[in-house]
Amino acid sequence: MINLGKVLQSERRKQKLSQQKLADMAGVTKRAIAYWENGTKSMSVESADKVFKALHITVKIGEL
């Protein structure tokens, strides 16, 4: 099972973005980014969409 928080953290670091910069780009809070990366809280589908679009990556969940 993929941990989206770890994917988020890895991609953010690869792109050399701070949590604050990514939060600004995605329209979420820095605290939310920290919670998701640490696994404290889960991302909603809407938040995941915003954050991964800001990182210019696609995360495909499930098969239809």
Side-chain angles (χ1 to χ4, degrees), residues 37-64:
E37 288 184 356
N38 294 324
T40 306
K41 294 190 178 184
S42 297
M43 278 186 258
S44 68
V45 173
E46 294 83 10
S47 294
D49 185 53
K50 288 180 185 180
V51 171
F52 289 112
K53 277 183 179 175
L55 289 169
H56 302 289
I57 63 171
T58 301
V59 176
K60 187 174 182 179
I61 300 172
E63 294 290 326
L64 294 176

Side-chain angles (χ1 to χ4, degrees), residues 6-21:
K6 295 299 175 198
V7 172
L8 169 60
Q9 184 177 56
S10 174
E11 288 297 323
R12 178 181 62 77
R13 287 180 173 172
K14 269 193 225 177
Q15 295 185 32
K16 298 183 177 13
L17 296 170
S18 67
Q19 288 180 337
Q20 185 62 60
K21 179 68 176 171

